[in-house]
Amino acid sequence: MKAINKSVFRGSSIWKKKRNEIIMRDGFKCAICQCTKNLQVHHIYSLDNYPNMKLENNNLITLCDICHHKAHNGMYSPVFLLNKIK
């Protein structure tokens, strides 16, 4: 499977639209700590390993920057994050 150019993808209008959709779905707050600042959309299953899931709602979750960092450092399992999706 071809690797995805993440910077091109993150700058695309389709990603920006999907990102806004997910933040709205999650009530404009972090799905873990409920913070409303510095929100980011996290790919539960990584873009590197699962590029085909890059726009799937059930692979995306809103996290604040702190929880996003923790997710990337393995503090939250994919199962835990999947259970936080509304």
Side-chain angles (χ1 to χ4, degrees):
M1 191 172 290
K2 185 181 172 205
I4 188 168
N5 182 323
K6 290 190 237 181
S7 63
V8 169
F9 171 68
R10 289 187 179 121
S12 71
S13 60
I14 194 164
W15 170 246
K16 290 175 184 176
K17 181 180 180 202
K18 179 57 74 173
R19 180 186 179 281
N20 289 337
E21 227 178 88
I22 297 302
I23 290 172
M24 190 181 322
R25 178 200 70 191
D26 293 342
F28 300 94
K29 62 187 175 207
C30 176
I32 295 172
C33 73
Q34 311 306 305
C35 179
T36 58
K37 297 187 186 311
N38 303 313
L39 298 177
Q40 302 171 358
V41 174
H42 175 66
H43 287 87
I44 296 170
Y45 293 104
S46 75
L47 280 173
D48 292 331
N49 296 326
Y50 299 91
N52 57 318
M53 296 179 72
K54 67 183 178 237
L55 295 171
E56 290 188 22
N57 289 354
N58 62 354
N59 187 45
L60 300 168
I61 189 169
T62 305
L63 300 176
C64 68
D65 57 343
I66 293 168
C67 289
H68 196 192
H69 181 73
K70 289 178 180 179
H72 277 282
N73 284 314
M75 292 183 72
Y76 305 123
S77 73
V79 171
F80 174 81
L81 294 172
L82 289 168
N83 284 325
K84 293 290 184 179
I85 294 176
K86 297 180 180 189

